[in-house]
Amino acid sequence: MNRESNELIGRYVYHVGRHLPPERREDVAQELTSLIGDRVEDELRPGESEEVVVLKVLREMGPPSAVAERYGYERRLLIGTSSLPAFFKLAKILPLVILALSVLSFPYADGFTLSALAKWLVSYFHSVLLNLGVLVVVFVVLEQLSRTQAKPQAEFDPEKLSAPPAPFEGGKVRPAVLVAKIYGTVAVLLLFNFYPSVVGVWTNAGGARFWVVPLSAVGVHVPMWLFNAWLVGHILLNTEVLRQGTWTRESRWTKVGLQMLGLVVFLVAIWSSHVGQLDTNFLASVGLAASDPRVKALSEGSRALVLAAGPVVLLALWSIAKDVRRLLRVTGSAA
């Protein structure tokens, strides 16, 4: 077949595969491409345009979503078949992540009594159910957005199907790494928003006792709305890449945008912080005097954050520039 015919078939097969689980797409693509090619050869007559016959065959086959249903796609599912593998991977590891976070909230001061343990278990299962519900909502929203973007027209026209994402070097996805990143980001989000008292500098209080100096107590201010937007962006991006089963040029550009947002969050945090100005109320609550050597160490350590800001910013800019250059090179070669 000529290039135009192959392109039309490739677009059609790609849109069928979008409705299927990632592990089935390659087999279905081969089978469907072979099937369409055979039908075109059977219907092609001498002197007839090959592209016209391809378009005729594709119209007869119907919208990609209808063809996908023959391969197991259920349009009525809240979470589509293409998203289920990613959803189950995240759902399986969710209880373990919540367990690790819940251990931090166990009332150790009350001892391991049956009452304390029962309350902790109730809280743990409540957190698991709540986060599972949030996970379902995220995937339902992603599925609905996907269906809206791929909504077929009243009269299906294969010529108007969008082209598949351009091949991207390094687009292979490692699900285990993405799952770890997603739950790691969720853990950070939960810690900063619901357990801020454990986010800070852990210091020995004598013997086997430890206390935590919160970031705010050493003058570090985190712009939470920006920080949360950055974390949520990473969660949604990695979830969508896991759902699609590949990195595309668009998702790579989104990642660069999140890197820039992360740099903005860091700069705003440094600019708005008052490093070295320790919270006297906190020091008094843990029984530390201003002359305590640990107080001096905390003050000097917080000032070191400012000194580290320069190298961190330069490293972030270098990483962003490298990714942008790589993306522009890929875009130029594809053009």
Side-chain angles (χ1 to χ4, degrees), residues 307-320:
L307 298 177
V312 169
V313 171
L314 291 176
L315 183 63
L317 289 173
W318 176 79
S319 178
I320 292 172

Side-chain angles (χ1 to χ4, degrees), residues 230-251:
W230 178 63
L231 293 175
V232 170
H234 274 289
I235 293 170
L236 292 177
L237 172 63
N238 288 323
T239 302
E240 179 63 11
V241 172
L242 185 64
R243 191 182 73 86
Q244 290 184 351
T246 185
W247 282 96
T248 63
R249 191 181 308 159
E250 291 75 15
S251 56

Side-chain angles (χ1 to χ4, degrees), residues 153-276:
Q153 302 175 3
E155 188 173 338
F156 170 63
D157 185 358
E159 285 188 288
K160 294 184 179 181
L161 289 174
S162 60
F168 189 85
E169 180 185 356
K172 185 178 179 181
V173 165
R174 290 183 289 178
V177 174
L178 282 180
V179 169
K181 286 183 178 180
I182 291 169
Y183 276 110
T185 309
V186 171
V188 172
L189 185 69
L190 292 175
L191 285 173
F192 271 84
N193 286 275
F194 299 103
Y195 305 100
S197 60
V198 300
V199 180
V201 182
W202 288 63
T203 305
N204 185 271
R209 296 189 307 112
F210 287 84
W211 42 260
V212 184
V213 183
L215 292 177
S216 59
V218 293
V220 177
H221 172 261
V222 180
M224 289 307 300
W225 68 275
L226 265 179
F227 185 61
N228 286 334
W230 178 63
L231 293 175
V232 170
H234 274 289
I235 293 170
L236 292 177
L237 172 63
N238 288 323
T239 302
E240 179 63 11
V241 172
L242 185 64
R243 191 182 73 86
Q244 290 184 351
T246 185
W247 282 96
T248 63
R249 191 181 308 159
E250 291 75 15
S251 56
R252 289 292 190 186
W253 276 115
T254 303
K255 184 178 179 181
V256 169
L258 287 173
Q259 288 176 321
M260 293 179 178
L261 178 58
L263 183 58
V264 170
V265 172
F266 180 76
L267 290 174
V268 171
I270 293 295
W271 181 263
S272 59
S273 295
H274 301 284
V275 293

Side-chain angles (χ1 to χ4, degrees), residues 105-126:
S105 63
F106 188 86
Y108 296 102
D110 299 334
F112 287 91
T113 63
L114 289 178
S115 176
L117 181 60
K119 290 180 180 178
W120 178 81
L121 287 174
V122 170
S123 175
Y124 167 70
F125 286 113
H126 177 268

Side-chain angles (χ1 to χ4, degrees), residues 129-163:
L129 292 176
L130 177 63
N131 283 275
L132 184 60
V134 172
L135 186 64
V136 170
V137 170
V138 169
F139 271 84
V140 169
V141 170
L142 289 174
E143 184 68 22
Q144 294 304 317
L145 288 175
S146 176
R147 292 179 187 180
T148 301
Q149 294 171 356
K151 186 176 180 180
Q153 302 175 3
E155 188 173 338
F156 170 63
D157 185 358
E159 285 188 288
K160 294 184 179 181
L161 289 174
S162 60

